[in-house]
Amino acid sequence: MKKLKDKIPYLLTALCAVIYVSLVFNNNLWLDEAFSASIIRCGFKEMMIRTANDTLPPFYNLSAWCFTRIFGYSSVTLKLFSVLPMVLLMLISSHFLTKGFSVCTSGVYIMLITAMPYMLEHGVEIRMYSWALFFASASAIFAVCMIKDMAHAEIWLIICTVLGAYTHQYTLITEVYVWLMLLVYCIRHKTVIRWIKYAVLCIVLYIPCAVLTLFQMSRAVTYFSATGASLGALLSSLRYPFVTHYTAVSAMLLFTAAALFAASVMMREYTAAFYMIIYVCIAVISFFIMAVTGSSFFSSRYLMPAIGIMWLGAAVAAGEAARRTGQYGGDERKARLIRYMIYGFGAAVMLIPLVICYTKQYREEYVDDTAFEEFIASTGEDDGYAIYEDFPEIQVCLEYYAPWLRAYAPDKLDGVSGSKYVFISSSANTDEAAVLKGYSDNEKNFEVTYLGNYVFDRYSFKAYTLH
């Protein structure tokens, strides 16, 4: 019976993996995804040059490049590459959390990293956030395993720490908190030398990435759509892990997380409590630095590594609470009723957000972009376009969808030898009539023909051709 029970996390892993994979079979990409996918499509040398000129560490682009050279380049392959770390994290949880804590802790965590807000979104997104969450959360798991003297935990902790640092700067920041927790433990148990040896090894292995990061930051001019330092933005970031866009459900998640944090403190599960507030510390410090320096560099999605650890702390607290409830003495009927109520509420906390988040993400992934794809397929290498949008979002996406198409300034379209297109974003603050009149009334006297309104991912635009 115990062996069958121990397999429950693996069964949940298989189920949750199917949920993730069901969202990858589409070609709908937004700005950041198109940017990453365009870099990964390049030859190795150009990919490395563009990676060095970016503001992020190299792990994701390099590993995704290798992955697509083995399994083929496509949006589906790239989305599967983002799903891979989520499944790996579930498998690590199935083994190590079951061994170090309980089946309940492992199962709860697997469900949380599937059902909670933004997990499915970032888990299939062609970006580095699922890998960042994986390395940070795996580091937190192996740190606990190291505390529990589980074999080889320190090796996996060092590997995940270093690779996480090579994935995103905020993964490194998150992992620093995990290592600080370990330092406190080592000080209490007089094993600081051991901690220093492992920490120094991590630092030495990170030096090449640190040099690259300094080079990147010296060349960085600004961050696209970065969050400014304001109280409203800070509160928005603190709410980020719980936002389902259904107020009652979001409040339920926030209340549950707060209750589990309080329970972990009362049960003296201080590791769980510490893990649950790391994301708060990082958000507050980030906004404080921006306010002091007057800079703007933060986005709520950077919290994903810390959010993965937050839900790990919640799972540990929930598992310990379930264990203690199971040991409740006195009236057995009363004890059973309390357990059923807790389990029922826990199931609701995980299943309701799962349905909401999956439905939302499915609709976003499977936008009907047939007309857009057909239009892109009809264009040729000699064609060019002028685009009107407030920010170069659709233009960057077109570098992925149609790398042969070239963008021109509006007054340079007459130099295009092939078809000439004008694109007007539906969200652009542009006088469409005035734009079109400018083409038909100029000295070239173009004939403007409406082609259609095309949609992909979160974007839509009207397309016109000039004759």
Side-chain angles (χ1 to χ4, degrees):
M1 188 67 180
K2 185 179 184 300
K3 288 185 178 180
L4 181 62
K5 183 180 178 182
D6 289 345
K7 287 182 169 43
I8 291 176
Y10 294 97
L11 295 175
L12 281 175
T13 295
L15 175 62
C16 292
V18 169
I19 292 173
Y20 272 101
V21 171
S22 69
L23 296 171
V24 308
F25 301 104
N26 62 83
N27 194 32
N28 274 306
L29 276 64
W30 74 290
L31 170 67
D32 284 9
E33 290 181 291
F35 178 77
S36 290
S38 296
I39 292 176
I40 294 164
R41 178 165 48 198
C42 297
F44 181 79
K45 182 178 179 180
E46 185 179 355
M47 180 273 294
M48 291 302 293
I49 291 173
R50 292 183 65 178
T51 297
N53 290 328
D54 193 10
T55 57
L56 295 171
F59 172 82
Y60 176 77
N61 288 345
L62 181 58
S63 57
W65 188 91
C66 294
F67 190 82
T68 55
R69 268 53 191 180
I70 297 172
F71 298 103
Y73 178 89
S74 70
S75 60
V76 173
T77 305
L78 286 168
K79 288 173 185 282
L80 282 172
F81 182 68
S82 294
V83 169
L84 178 61
M86 303 305 292
V87 177
L88 287 176
L89 183 56
M90 294 178 201
L91 290 172
I92 288 173
S93 303
S94 297
H95 178 75
F96 289 97
L97 289 184
T98 298
K99 189 175 180 180
F101 292 96
S102 66
V103 169
C104 178
T105 298
S106 176
V108 168
Y109 188 54
I110 290 167
M111 287 298 300
L112 288 175
I113 59 174
T114 303
M116 292 300 102
Y118 299 105
M119 290 295 166
L120 292 175
E121 178 178 337
H122 293 304
V124 300
E125 189 176 45
I126 303 175
R127 293 289 281 170
M128 70 296 300
Y129 298 112
S130 60
W131 282 99
L133 184 148
F134 165 70
F135 287 126
S137 301
S139 295
I141 290 173
F142 291 125
V144 174
C145 292
M146 185 174 161
I147 290 173
K148 292 179 176 289
D149 289 324
M150 294 173 63
H152 310 302
E154 64 277 4
I155 297 174
W156 292 113
L157 172 62
I158 292 169
I159 291 172
C160 288
T161 298
V162 174
L163 290 180
Y166 274 75
T167 303
H168 198 282
Q169 290 89 349
Y170 267 79
T171 310
L172 172 60
I173 294 170
T174 304
E175 290 169 342
V176 166
Y177 281 88
V178 174
W179 279 81
L180 287 175
M181 179 206 70
L182 266 180
L183 176 59
V184 172
Y185 172 82
C186 290
I187 290 173
R188 292 178 60 187
H189 290 78
K190 298 180 174 56
T191 56
V192 177
I193 298 301
R194 182 187 183 197
W195 182 93
I196 291 174
K197 288 193 298 184
Y198 297 151
V200 168
L201 179 57
C202 289
I203 292 170
V204 170
L205 292 173
Y206 177 66
I207 287 175
C209 187
V211 173
L212 174 62
T213 299
L214 291 174
F215 169 78
Q216 291 173 322
M217 293 305 161
S218 68
R219 296 166 58 92
V221 177
T222 185
Y223 287 79
F224 185 83
S225 189
T227 301
S230 67
L231 179 59
L234 172 59
L235 293 176
S236 177
S237 293
L238 293 177
R239 291 195 303 268
Y240 190 73
F242 314 106
V243 176
T244 63
H245 302 289
Y246 289 84
T247 303
V249 179
S250 301
M252 177 182 69
L253 293 180
L254 180 58
F255 166 79
T256 304
L260 286 172
F261 174 77
S264 63
V265 173
M266 289 189 292
M267 294 184 297
R268 297 188 177 183
E269 280 287 341
Y270 296 125
T271 298
F274 180 71
Y275 279 177
M276 292 188 71
I277 61 169
I278 288 178
Y279 94 97
V280 175
C281 297
I282 293 175
V284 170
I285 290 173
S286 296
F287 276 87
F288 175 77
I289 293 173
M290 287 194 295
V292 170
T293 61
S295 60
S296 180
F297 58 80
F298 180 79
S299 176
S300 294
R301 69 178 78 97
Y302 296 169
L303 290 171
M304 287 307 296
I307 291 171
I309 294 179
M310 180 195 76
W311 291 125
L312 172 61
V316 172
E320 178 61 16
R323 184 186 70 81
R324 297 194 184 196
T325 302
Q327 295 176 345
Y328 180 83
D331 189 337
E332 181 58 33
R333 288 185 58 188
K334 185 177 180 179
R336 191 182 300 115
L337 178 61
I338 292 173
R339 286 197 296 270
Y340 288 160
M341 289 176 63
I342 292 174
Y343 295 158
F345 179 75
V349 166
M350 290 183 286
L351 293 178
I352 293 174
L354 175 61
V355 172
I356 292 172
C357 294
Y358 182 82
T359 301
K360 174 180 175 292
Q361 195 60 34
Y362 187 91
R363 288 172 179 168
E364 289 184 2
E365 295 293 336
Y366 293 101
V367 172
D368 184 5
D369 66 342
T370 305
F372 169 71
E373 295 274 9
E374 290 175 351
F375 167 68
I376 290 300
S378 71
T379 62
E381 293 184 359
D382 296 327
D383 300 346
Y385 67 92
I387 187 166
Y388 294 83
E389 55 181 342
D390 296 334
F391 300 100
E393 296 181 88
I394 295 174
Q395 182 177 336
V396 172
C397 290
L398 288 176
E399 292 176 10
Y400 163 76
Y401 284 108
W404 56 86
L405 277 182
R406 183 179 172 188
Y408 289 80
D411 59 345
K412 301 295 184 181
L413 273 180
D414 54 350
V416 177
S417 60
S419 298
K420 305 169 183 62
Y421 300 105
V422 174
F423 302 148
I424 301 178
S425 172
S426 60
S427 61
N429 185 22
T430 302
D431 187 337
E432 183 177 339
V435 168
L436 299 178
K437 191 172 186 296
Y439 285 104
S440 60
D441 287 353
N442 68 11
E443 60 182 15
K444 299 295 184 181
N445 196 26
F446 284 123
E447 178 185 342
V448 181
T449 303
Y450 175 66
L451 297 177
N453 187 65
Y454 299 112
V455 177
F456 67 96
D457 199 80
R458 63 200 68 185
Y459 307 108
S460 66
F461 66 95
K462 291 182 180 178
Y464 299 85
T465 187
L466 306 179
H467 301 285

